[in-house]
DNA sequence: AACATCTTCAACCGCAGACGG
DNA sequence: ACCGTCTGCGGTTGAAGATGT
């Protein structure tokens, strides 16, 4: 016996959404807010499964969505984030306001993959194609090849903080990623506004407009370089993703 | 004009993790 | 600790439109 279906499939619509269904969903969520997707269709008078409603709202109807073409800056940011995170589309989307994971995933598969291939770069490993062909053992940049190290930490009953934190190791990039809710204190530290160029880690670039390179150094590294896409460097060459916000 | 092929992207599916009883 | 339910994620599909022959 498998798990129970997410909804009663016999009486649910599938396929493209109609204008009327969209309107019903929008007005229901405006009145009651997001969440309780399982019960939402019935409450909203929709013959859809909850998952379908959630997807329609998240990917298409949300008012804060940015429609239209991706900019060159967004392209480069996606490429950079993908090299760091692999196919973690939701994490990547969290760094691109107004864009959804589904949209970015589609865009990656239809545009950016080809763009990288044209540049002679393997989209899976972000290495030159000829090199990637000869280094099978080290093609570990993708999420499928990332080795996950789960580190159990003690649960603190006094502050209610959950004790489990996941560390991802990406040997290819020598990165240590820790995912957790954003911390206000760290956010304040990293909120020093960097220009887009520096946020990509391209310190000392002639295109830099925030002059971050003139900031003090730590461990012989300019501290502005610590803010790569808002990530803080824990130790040399290791980025801390505690400030990486989920959607 | 008609058909074939390619491209795009909204939507679906199955799985895994989180959570509560 | 276990189990059932719910939610969110990533891979995949397929309809519709665009382009080529």
């Amino acid at each position: 016996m498998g798990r129970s279906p997410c909804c009663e499939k016999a009486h649910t619509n599938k396929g493209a959404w109609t204008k009327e269904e969209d309107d019903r969903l929008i007005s229901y969520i405006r009145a009651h807010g997001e969440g309780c997707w399982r019960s939402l269709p019935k409450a909203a008078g929709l013959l859809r499964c909850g998952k379908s409603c959630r997807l329609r709202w998240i990917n298409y109807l949300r008012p804060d969505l940015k429609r239209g073409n991706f900019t060159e800056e967004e392209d480069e940011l996606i490429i950079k984030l993908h090299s760091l995170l692999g196919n973690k589309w939701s994490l990547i989307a969290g760094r691109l306001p107004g864009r959804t994971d589904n949209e970015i995933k589609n865009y990656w598969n239809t545009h950016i993959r080809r763009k990288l291939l044209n540049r002679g770069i393997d989209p899976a490993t972000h290495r030159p194609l000829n090199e990637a062909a000869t280094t099978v053992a080290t093609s570990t940049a993708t999420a499928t090849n990332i080795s996950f190290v789960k580190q159990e930490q003690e649960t603190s009953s006094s502050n209610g903080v959950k004790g489990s934190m996941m560390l991802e190791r990406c040997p290819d990039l020598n990165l240590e990623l820790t995912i957790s809710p954003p911390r206000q204190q760290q956010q304040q530290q990293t909120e020093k506004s960097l220009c887009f160029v520096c946020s990509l880690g391209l310190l000392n670039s002639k295109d830099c407009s925030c002059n971050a390179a003139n900031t003090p150094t730590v461990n012989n590294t300019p501290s502005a370089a610590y803010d790569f896409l808002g990530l803080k460097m824990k130790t040399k060459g290791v980025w801390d993703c505690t400030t990486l916000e989920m959607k």
Side-chain angles (χ1 to χ4, degrees):
Chain A
M1 297 291 280
R3 50 189 289 117
S4 62
C6 72
C7 53
E8 179 55 61
K9 291 187 186 296
H11 301 100
T12 54
N13 292 340
K14 290 177 77 173
W17 280 62
T18 64
K19 180 81 174 66
E20 190 190 349
E21 287 177 313
D22 282 348
D23 290 343
R24 274 181 187 268
L25 183 56
I26 291 168
S27 60
Y28 182 86
I29 290 177
R30 274 188 187 150
H32 302 92
E34 291 182 47
C36 301
W37 296 109
R38 195 180 171 89
S39 58
L40 184 148
K42 196 174 179 182
L46 286 163
L47 294 174
R48 291 276 179 176
C49 92
K51 280 175 119 177
S52 182
C53 293
R54 175 185 162 271
L55 214 63
R56 182 65 177 170
W57 174 255
I58 299 277
N59 289 333
Y60 203 80
L61 300 176
R62 251 169 51 200
D64 58 327
L65 288 181
K66 186 197 290 184
R67 313 296 304 180
N69 295 337
F70 282 75
T71 65
E72 194 61 33
E73 284 191 351
E74 284 176 315
D75 274 19
E76 294 305 319
L77 183 53
I78 291 168
I79 292 167
K80 199 85 178 174
L81 284 166
H82 187 271
S83 74
L84 176 66
L85 300 167
N87 294 359
K88 301 287 181 191
W89 304 117
S90 62
L91 283 175
I92 294 172
R95 287 278 146 184
L96 284 135
R99 301 295 188 184
T100 69
D101 51 358
N102 203 38
E103 190 179 14
I104 292 169
K105 179 174 59 183
N106 282 333
Y107 188 65
W108 174 271
N109 288 324
T110 56
H111 293 90
I112 299 183
R113 273 176 59 87
R114 196 180 309 148
K115 186 173 175 175
L116 288 179
L117 287 170
N118 286 340
R119 289 183 189 173
I121 296 170
D122 183 351
T125 63
H126 295 265
R127 292 169 178 277
L129 275 170
N130 53 356
E131 181 185 345
T134 57
T135 56
V136 177
T138 57
S139 59
T140 52
T142 58
T144 51
N145 288 327
I146 289 174
S147 63
F148 292 90
V149 179
K150 291 197 173 181
Q151 188 180 50
E152 292 299 324
Q153 295 185 335
E154 286 183 9
T155 302
S156 166
S157 58
S158 58
N159 60 16
V161 173
K162 276 281 185 182
S164 180
M165 192 177 270
M166 189 165 71
L167 298 177
E168 290 182 32
R169 290 188 186 279
C170 185
D172 187 35
L173 295 165
N174 189 23
L175 298 175
E176 183 183 3
L177 308 177
T178 58
I179 309 296
S180 74
R183 296 179 192 162
Q184 211 164 9
Q185 207 175 2
Q186 286 187 346
Q187 213 168 2
Q188 285 170 353
Q189 288 174 355
T190 58
E191 261 176 5
K192 174 181 52 186
S193 61
L194 292 176
C195 67
F196 179 75
V197 176
C198 285
S199 74
L200 288 174
L202 304 175
L203 209 68
N204 295 322
S205 166
K206 61 179 173 56
D207 297 317
C208 170
S209 59
C210 68
N211 205 25
N214 292 335
T215 53
T217 62
V218 179
N219 294 338
N220 298 324
T221 309
S223 62
Y226 283 56
D227 283 313
F228 167 57
L229 304 168
L231 307 183
K232 191 173 178 63
M233 189 181 279
K234 291 174 83 173
T235 58
K236 195 171 184 180
V238 179
W239 301 98
D240 179 4
C241 290
T242 53
T243 57
L244 197 58
E245 289 179 52
M246 297 290 286
K247 272 192 303 186

